[in-house]
Amino acid sequence: MSEQLPKPKVAMHWLVAIGVIFLFVSSWWMLSLPLPSEDFTYRQLPFQMHKNVGITIMVMVVAMVALRIVKKRKQLQIKKSRLERLASLDHLLTYFLIIACCISGYLSSSFSGWETTLWWLVDLPAWSEENDDLNIFFSDIHLWTCWALLAVVAVHIGAALYHAFKNDDVIDKMFRL
Amino acid sequence: MLFGVLLLASHSNELLKQIVIAPGSIAELGVPADCRADELEEEGLSLLECELMVSNVQIILASSPEWFRPLMFLLSVSGILFAALSISVGFSFVKIKV
């Protein structure tokens, strides 16, 4: 049997997967809700949930990157095949895009003048006063990094299917908790 | 497992939608849409699109019979539970595989 991956890493992988899908689905329908005002507060809860899940995912991804760095230090002497190098690149790109997507979303929200209270418990700092230009700028970065993330996730799922049909131990490791 | 992940994300969104679009909320009371110019610019929307967003909520509420929302609540909560169960059963199957 192959070497088992650390349980926290497997658990975080699946939690991040659920979170990312939740965020993509929610971003589509919540933007069709009426624009926010004093009377129309339909967007309040979905946007707050979107931010809660997004920031939590970012924390988990940072932890996954840290685990990866620690593991890499131990395995510096192992030579990787071309396919493994491509897989590493896909993982790094996924991590980078998730973090970029979350940070740009948080900054966009921060410059929109809306406060962010993580899980209704922790007040996160607003980086400046309301600034429409910066809000639109970070909102655009949020949009494009998220589309790029969707493309990378599609490649990731494609690679997972490749391993599943090849019936090697990669899929097996990712399902062992 | 994969379907469990997809369903969990999808059902939690449905639950959230049912919580947000509630009968008796402001759109149903006939309050006109509040479409500020700066918000329209930020979102890249026209005035008509902004008004349609309120109409959309009104249509959802008007077309849903009284029993619909509790049923959707029940379905999405059971969907979340069964999806979580499906994920844990998936993990258990892999664990017992030799």
Side-chain angles (χ1 to χ4, degrees), chain A residues 69-100:
Chain A
I69 292 169
V70 171
K71 194 188 165 200
K72 198 158 188 149
R73 277 193 186 158
K74 289 180 188 165
Q75 293 185 333
L76 271 180
Q77 68 280 16
I78 298 171
K79 211 173 177 187
K80 285 181 174 175
S81 69
R82 200 173 151 217
L83 212 57
E84 283 171 330
R85 282 203 301 274
L86 274 174
S88 294
L89 180 71
D90 178 70
H91 287 145
L92 290 176
L93 208 55
T94 309
Y95 292 144
F96 169 76
L97 286 170
I98 290 176
I99 293 171

mmCIF file of all heavy atoms in Angstrom, chain A residues 69-100:
data_model
loop_
_atom_site.group_PDB
_atom_site.id
_atom_site.type_symbol
_atom_site.label_atom_id
_atom_site.label_comp_id
_atom_site.label_asym_id
_atom_site.label_seq_id
_atom_site.Cartn_x
_atom_site.Cartn_y
_atom_site.Cartn_z
ATOM 1 N N ILE A 69 5.207 22.927 2.029
ATOM 2 C CA ILE A 69 6.589 23.411 2.140
ATOM 3 C C ILE A 69 7.389 22.508 3.084
ATOM 4 O O ILE A 69 8.510 22.114 2.780
ATOM 5 C CB ILE A 69 6.618 24.887 2.613
ATOM 6 C CG1 ILE A 69 6.040 25.788 1.510
ATOM 7 C CG2 ILE A 69 8.035 25.327 2.966
ATOM 8 C CD1 ILE A 69 5.758 27.210 1.931
ATOM 9 N N VAL A 70 6.772 22.150 4.222
ATOM 10 C CA VAL A 70 7.451 21.277 5.196
ATOM 11 C C VAL A 70 7.778 19.932 4.537
ATOM 12 O O VAL A 70 8.898 19.421 4.652
ATOM 13 C CB VAL A 70 6.548 21.063 6.445
ATOM 14 C CG1 VAL A 70 7.128 19.992 7.347
ATOM 15 C CG2 VAL A 70 6.387 22.373 7.190
ATOM 16 N N LYS A 71 6.802 19.384 3.782
ATOM 17 C CA LYS A 71 7.002 18.079 3.135
ATOM 18 C C LYS A 71 8.094 18.180 2.066
ATOM 19 O O LYS A 71 8.918 17.294 1.910
ATOM 20 C CB LYS A 71 5.689 17.625 2.507
ATOM 21 C CG LYS A 71 5.705 16.169 2.119
ATOM 22 C CD LYS A 71 4.481 15.788 1.336
ATOM 23 C CE LYS A 71 4.700 14.454 0.668
ATOM 24 N NZ LYS A 71 3.784 14.249 -0.444
ATOM 25 N N LYS A 72 8.086 19.293 1.335
ATOM 26 C CA LYS A 72 9.043 19.475 0.237
ATOM 27 C C LYS A 72 10.479 19.499 0.773
ATOM 28 O O LYS A 72 11.387 18.978 0.160
ATOM 29 C CB LYS A 72 8.705 20.760 -0.508
ATOM 30 C CG LYS A 72 9.335 20.795 -1.863
ATOM 31 C CD LYS A 72 8.612 21.741 -2.777
ATOM 32 C CE LYS A 72 9.190 21.573 -4.170
ATOM 33 N NZ LYS A 72 8.265 21.812 -5.196
ATOM 34 N N ARG A 73 10.669 20.111 1.929
ATOM 35 C CA ARG A 73 12.008 20.179 2.523
ATOM 36 C C ARG A 73 12.558 18.786 2.794
ATOM 37 O O ARG A 73 13.737 18.542 2.674
ATOM 38 C CB ARG A 73 11.963 20.981 3.823
ATOM 39 C CG ARG A 73 12.036 22.474 3.554
ATOM 40 C CD ARG A 73 12.296 23.225 4.820
ATOM 41 N NE ARG A 73 12.219 24.653 4.566
ATOM 42 C CZ ARG A 73 11.990 25.556 5.480
ATOM 43 N NH1 ARG A 73 11.801 25.193 6.726
ATOM 44 N NH2 ARG A 73 11.963 26.826 5.183
ATOM 45 N N LYS A 74 11.619 17.889 3.175
ATOM 46 C CA LYS A 74 12.055 16.523 3.487
ATOM 47 C C LYS A 74 12.345 15.722 2.219
ATOM 48 O O LYS A 74 13.046 14.732 2.255
ATOM 49 C CB LYS A 74 10.961 15.797 4.287
ATOM 50 C CG LYS A 74 10.811 16.310 5.709
ATOM 51 C CD LYS A 74 9.705 15.514 6.382
ATOM 52 C CE LYS A 74 9.385 16.111 7.748
ATOM 53 N NZ LYS A 74 8.114 15.610 8.281
ATOM 54 N N GLN A 75 11.753 16.130 1.097
ATOM 55 C CA GLN A 75 11.845 15.312 -0.123
ATOM 56 C C GLN A 75 12.646 15.983 -1.232
ATOM 57 O O GLN A 75 12.435 15.722 -2.396
ATOM 58 C CB GLN A 75 10.439 15.055 -0.662
ATOM 59 C CG GLN A 75 9.609 14.177 0.235
ATOM 60 C CD GLN A 75 8.286 13.863 -0.428
ATOM 61 O OE1 GLN A 75 7.781 14.627 -1.240
ATOM 62 N NE2 GLN A 75 7.718 12.737 -0.083
ATOM 63 N N LEU A 76 13.583 16.858 -0.876
ATOM 64 C CA LEU A 76 14.300 17.628 -1.890
ATOM 65 C C LEU A 76 15.077 16.745 -2.861
ATOM 66 O O LEU A 76 15.235 17.081 -4.027
ATOM 67 C CB LEU A 76 15.255 18.611 -1.199
ATOM 68 C CG LEU A 76 14.644 19.980 -0.856
ATOM 69 C CD1 LEU A 76 15.657 20.859 -0.187
ATOM 70 C CD2 LEU A 76 14.072 20.671 -2.091
ATOM 71 N N GLN A 77 15.550 15.591 -2.376
ATOM 72 C CA GLN A 77 16.411 14.758 -3.218
ATOM 73 C C GLN A 77 15.626 13.923 -4.232
ATOM 74 O O GLN A 77 16.203 13.420 -5.183
ATOM 75 C CB GLN A 77 17.299 13.864 -2.334
ATOM 76 C CG GLN A 77 16.584 12.772 -1.554
ATOM 77 C CD GLN A 77 15.905 13.286 -0.289
ATOM 78 O OE1 GLN A 77 15.691 14.487 -0.112
ATOM 79 N NE2 GLN A 77 15.554 12.378 0.596
ATOM 80 N N ILE A 78 14.282 13.800 -4.067
ATOM 81 C CA ILE A 78 13.494 12.952 -4.977
ATOM 82 C C ILE A 78 13.286 13.666 -6.320
ATOM 83 O O ILE A 78 12.845 14.808 -6.357
ATOM 84 C CB ILE A 78 12.128 12.596 -4.347
ATOM 85 C CG1 ILE A 78 12.361 11.804 -3.067
ATOM 86 C CG2 ILE A 78 11.269 11.795 -5.311
ATOM 87 C CD1 ILE A 78 11.107 11.578 -2.259
ATOM 88 N N LYS A 79 13.638 12.936 -7.401
ATOM 89 C CA LYS A 79 13.469 13.516 -8.735
ATOM 90 C C LYS A 79 12.060 13.232 -9.249
ATOM 91 O O LYS A 79 11.584 12.102 -9.162
ATOM 92 C CB LYS A 79 14.512 12.929 -9.677
ATOM 93 C CG LYS A 79 14.917 13.894 -10.757
ATOM 94 C CD LYS A 79 16.057 13.360 -11.576
ATOM 95 C CE LYS A 79 16.352 14.368 -12.679
ATOM 96 N NZ LYS A 79 17.322 13.855 -13.615
ATOM 97 N N LYS A 80 11.405 14.267 -9.802
ATOM 98 C CA LYS A 80 10.023 14.096 -10.252
ATOM 99 C C LYS A 80 9.962 13.883 -11.752
ATOM 100 O O LYS A 80 10.778 14.436 -12.496
ATOM 101 C CB LYS A 80 9.210 15.341 -9.893
ATOM 102 C CG LYS A 80 8.859 15.426 -8.425
ATOM 103 C CD LYS A 80 8.045 16.670 -8.183
ATOM 104 C CE LYS A 80 7.560 16.724 -6.763
ATOM 105 N NZ LYS A 80 6.879 17.981 -6.477
ATOM 106 N N SER A 81 8.923 13.117 -12.185
ATOM 107 C CA SER A 81 8.714 12.938 -13.624
ATOM 108 C C SER A 81 8.059 14.202 -14.179
ATOM 109 O O SER A 81 7.637 15.077 -13.420
ATOM 110 C CB SER A 81 7.806 11.732 -13.862
ATOM 111 O OG SER A 81 6.512 12.049 -13.401
ATOM 112 N N ARG A 82 7.936 14.243 -15.510
ATOM 113 C CA ARG A 82 7.353 15.438 -16.148
ATOM 114 C C ARG A 82 5.890 15.637 -15.709
ATOM 115 O O ARG A 82 5.449 16.748 -15.435
ATOM 116 C CB ARG A 82 7.431 15.253 -17.662
ATOM 117 C CG ARG A 82 7.334 16.549 -18.401
ATOM 118 C CD ARG A 82 7.588 16.344 -19.870
ATOM 119 N NE ARG A 82 6.862 17.340 -20.617
ATOM 120 C CZ ARG A 82 6.272 17.130 -21.777
ATOM 121 N NH1 ARG A 82 6.333 15.944 -22.329
ATOM 122 N NH2 ARG A 82 5.641 18.097 -22.394
ATOM 123 N N LEU A 83 5.182 14.516 -15.649
ATOM 124 C CA LEU A 83 3.769 14.565 -15.253
ATOM 125 C C LEU A 83 3.617 15.038 -13.802
ATOM 126 O O LEU A 83 2.711 15.818 -13.483
ATOM 127 C CB LEU A 83 3.151 13.166 -15.421
ATOM 128 C CG LEU A 83 1.677 13.125 -15.802
ATOM 129 C CD1 LEU A 83 1.420 13.871 -17.087
ATOM 130 C CD2 LEU A 83 1.209 11.688 -15.910
ATOM 131 N N GLU A 84 4.526 14.568 -12.956
ATOM 132 C CA GLU A 84 4.473 14.990 -11.538
ATOM 133 C C GLU A 84 4.791 16.478 -11.406
ATOM 134 O O GLU A 84 4.223 17.166 -10.564
ATOM 135 C CB GLU A 84 5.471 14.159 -10.714
ATOM 136 C CG GLU A 84 4.970 12.765 -10.412
ATOM 137 C CD GLU A 84 6.017 11.873 -9.785
ATOM 138 O OE1 GLU A 84 7.219 12.080 -10.077
ATOM 139 O OE2 GLU A 84 5.642 10.972 -9.028
ATOM 140 N N ARG A 85 5.712 16.946 -12.256
ATOM 141 C CA ARG A 85 6.037 18.386 -12.218
ATOM 142 C C ARG A 85 4.830 19.214 -12.663
ATOM 143 O O ARG A 85 4.532 20.262 -12.106
ATOM 144 C CB ARG A 85 7.253 18.681 -13.102
ATOM 145 C CG ARG A 85 8.591 18.293 -12.442
ATOM 146 C CD ARG A 85 9.755 19.073 -13.042
ATOM 147 N NE ARG A 85 9.913 18.872 -14.465
ATOM 148 C CZ ARG A 85 10.612 17.872 -15.025
ATOM 149 N NH1 ARG A 85 11.195 16.982 -14.252
ATOM 150 N NH2 ARG A 85 10.712 17.766 -16.338
ATOM 151 N N LEU A 86 4.128 18.707 -13.683
ATOM 152 C CA LEU A 86 2.917 19.396 -14.158
ATOM 153 C C LEU A 86 1.849 19.403 -13.062
ATOM 154 O O LEU A 86 1.152 20.409 -12.858
ATOM 155 C CB LEU A 86 2.356 18.699 -15.401
ATOM 156 C CG LEU A 86 2.946 19.117 -16.740
ATOM 157 C CD1 LEU A 86 2.401 18.225 -17.842
ATOM 158 C CD2 LEU A 86 2.616 20.574 -17.048
ATOM 159 N N ALA A 87 1.724 18.269 -12.354
ATOM 160 C CA ALA A 87 0.744 18.179 -11.260
ATOM 161 C C ALA A 87 1.089 19.181 -10.162
ATOM 162 O O ALA A 87 0.212 19.870 -9.633
ATOM 163 C CB ALA A 87 0.717 16.761 -10.698
ATOM 164 N N SER A 88 2.392 19.298 -9.857
ATOM 165 C CA SER A 88 2.824 20.269 -8.836
ATOM 166 C C SER A 88 2.475 21.687 -9.267
ATOM 167 O O SER A 88 2.018 22.504 -8.466
ATOM 168 C CB SER A 88 4.332 20.182 -8.612
ATOM 169 O OG SER A 88 4.654 18.957 -8.066
ATOM 170 N N LEU A 89 2.699 21.955 -10.567
ATOM 171 C CA LEU A 89 2.390 23.290 -11.097
ATOM 172 C C LEU A 89 0.895 23.581 -10.966
ATOM 173 O O LEU A 89 0.486 24.671 -10.565
ATOM 174 C CB LEU A 89 2.833 23.370 -12.564
ATOM 175 C CG LEU A 89 2.590 24.704 -13.258
ATOM 176 C CD1 LEU A 89 3.542 25.758 -12.698
ATOM 177 C CD2 LEU A 89 2.770 24.593 -14.762
ATOM 178 N N ASP A 90 0.067 22.570 -11.292
ATOM 179 C CA ASP A 90 -1.393 22.718 -11.186
ATOM 180 C C ASP A 90 -1.797 22.993 -9.729
ATOM 181 O O ASP A 90 -2.627 23.863 -9.460
ATOM 182 C CB ASP A 90 -2.087 21.460 -11.699
ATOM 183 C CG ASP A 90 -3.596 21.539 -11.557
ATOM 184 O OD1 ASP A 90 -4.208 22.326 -12.291
ATOM 185 O OD2 ASP A 90 -4.160 20.845 -10.687
ATOM 186 N N HIS A 91 -1.155 22.276 -8.786
ATOM 187 C CA HIS A 91 -1.469 22.493 -7.367
ATOM 188 C C HIS A 91 -1.086 23.896 -6.933
ATOM 189 O O HIS A 91 -1.872 24.593 -6.285
ATOM 190 C CB HIS A 91 -0.723 21.474 -6.490
ATOM 191 C CG HIS A 91 -1.303 20.109 -6.582
ATOM 192 N ND1 HIS A 91 -0.561 18.964 -6.521
ATOM 193 C CD2 HIS A 91 -2.578 19.704 -6.762
ATOM 194 C CE1 HIS A 91 -1.351 17.913 -6.649
ATOM 195 N NE2 HIS A 91 -2.575 18.340 -6.794
ATOM 196 N N LEU A 92 0.130 24.305 -7.329
ATOM 197 C CA LEU A 92 0.589 25.647 -6.923
ATOM 198 C C LEU A 92 -0.311 26.733 -7.510
ATOM 199 O O LEU A 92 -0.659 27.706 -6.842
ATOM 200 C CB LEU A 92 2.045 25.870 -7.358
ATOM 201 C CG LEU A 92 3.066 25.047 -6.581
ATOM 202 C CD1 LEU A 92 4.471 25.256 -7.126
ATOM 203 C CD2 LEU A 92 3.040 25.410 -5.097
ATOM 204 N N LEU A 93 -0.693 26.530 -8.784
ATOM 205 C CA LEU A 93 -1.571 27.494 -9.452
ATOM 206 C C LEU A 93 -2.933 27.551 -8.747
ATOM 207 O O LEU A 93 -3.514 28.623 -8.563
ATOM 208 C CB LEU A 93 -1.740 27.071 -10.914
ATOM 209 C CG LEU A 93 -2.016 28.160 -11.934
ATOM 210 C CD1 LEU A 93 -0.964 29.244 -11.880
ATOM 211 C CD2 LEU A 93 -2.068 27.569 -13.338
ATOM 212 N N THR A 94 -3.425 26.374 -8.341
ATOM 213 C CA THR A 94 -4.717 26.318 -7.632
ATOM 214 C C THR A 94 -4.613 27.079 -6.315
ATOM 215 O O THR A 94 -5.468 27.913 -5.994
ATOM 216 C CB THR A 94 -5.129 24.852 -7.345
ATOM 217 O OG1 THR A 94 -5.038 24.118 -8.550
ATOM 218 C CG2 THR A 94 -6.538 24.759 -6.798
ATOM 219 N N TYR A 95 -3.544 26.805 -5.558
ATOM 220 C CA TYR A 95 -3.351 27.503 -4.276
ATOM 221 C C TYR A 95 -3.262 29.013 -4.510
ATOM 222 O O TYR A 95 -3.907 29.804 -3.823
ATOM 223 C CB TYR A 95 -2.055 27.038 -3.590
ATOM 224 C CG TYR A 95 -2.058 25.619 -3.099
ATOM 225 C CD1 TYR A 95 -0.901 24.845 -3.159
ATOM 226 C CD2 TYR A 95 -3.197 25.042 -2.563
ATOM 227 C CE1 TYR A 95 -0.888 23.532 -2.703
ATOM 228 C CE2 TYR A 95 -3.191 23.730 -2.113
ATOM 229 C CZ TYR A 95 -2.028 22.989 -2.183
ATOM 230 O OH TYR A 95 -2.024 21.697 -1.734
ATOM 231 N N PHE A 96 -2.439 29.397 -5.501
ATOM 232 C CA PHE A 96 -2.226 30.820 -5.766
ATOM 233 C C PHE A 96 -3.548 31.505 -6.136
ATOM 234 O O PHE A 96 -3.880 32.572 -5.616
ATOM 235 C CB PHE A 96 -1.196 31.006 -6.888
ATOM 236 C CG PHE A 96 -1.121 32.413 -7.404
ATOM 237 C CD1 PHE A 96 -0.482 33.398 -6.662
ATOM 238 C CD2 PHE A 96 -1.713 32.775 -8.609
ATOM 239 C CE1 PHE A 96 -0.434 34.715 -7.110
ATOM 240 C CE2 PHE A 96 -1.672 34.080 -9.072
ATOM 241 C CZ PHE A 96 -1.023 35.056 -8.318
ATOM 242 N N LEU A 97 -4.316 30.858 -7.028
ATOM 243 C CA LEU A 97 -5.564 31.473 -7.493
ATOM 244 C C LEU A 97 -6.611 31.548 -6.377
ATOM 245 O O LEU A 97 -7.358 32.526 -6.292
ATOM 246 C CB LEU A 97 -6.114 30.726 -8.706
ATOM 247 C CG LEU A 97 -5.338 30.992 -10.001
ATOM 248 C CD1 LEU A 97 -5.775 30.036 -11.091
ATOM 249 C CD2 LEU A 97 -5.525 32.437 -10.462
ATOM 250 N N ILE A 98 -6.659 30.516 -5.521
ATOM 251 C CA ILE A 98 -7.624 30.564 -4.407
ATOM 252 C C ILE A 98 -7.266 31.737 -3.488
ATOM 253 O O ILE A 98 -8.132 32.545 -3.107
ATOM 254 C CB ILE A 98 -7.647 29.239 -3.605
ATOM 255 C CG1 ILE A 98 -8.272 28.123 -4.442
ATOM 256 C CG2 ILE A 98 -8.449 29.396 -2.309
ATOM 257 C CD1 ILE A 98 -8.262 26.755 -3.779
ATOM 258 N N ILE A 99 -5.968 31.861 -3.173
ATOM 259 C CA ILE A 99 -5.554 32.947 -2.279
ATOM 260 C C ILE A 99 -5.798 34.311 -2.946
ATOM 261 O O ILE A 99 -6.340 35.230 -2.316
ATOM 262 C CB ILE A 99 -4.072 32.769 -1.853
ATOM 263 C CG1 ILE A 99 -3.944 31.526 -0.965
ATOM 264 C CG2 ILE A 99 -3.547 33.989 -1.111
ATOM 265 C CD1 ILE A 99 -2.530 31.101 -0.649
ATOM 266 N N ALA A 100 -5.439 34.415 -4.238
ATOM 267 C CA ALA A 100 -5.634 35.690 -4.961
ATOM 268 C C ALA A 100 -7.115 36.049 -5.023
ATOM 269 O O ALA A 100 -7.507 37.208 -4.834
ATOM 270 C CB ALA A 100 -5.053 35.577 -6.360
#
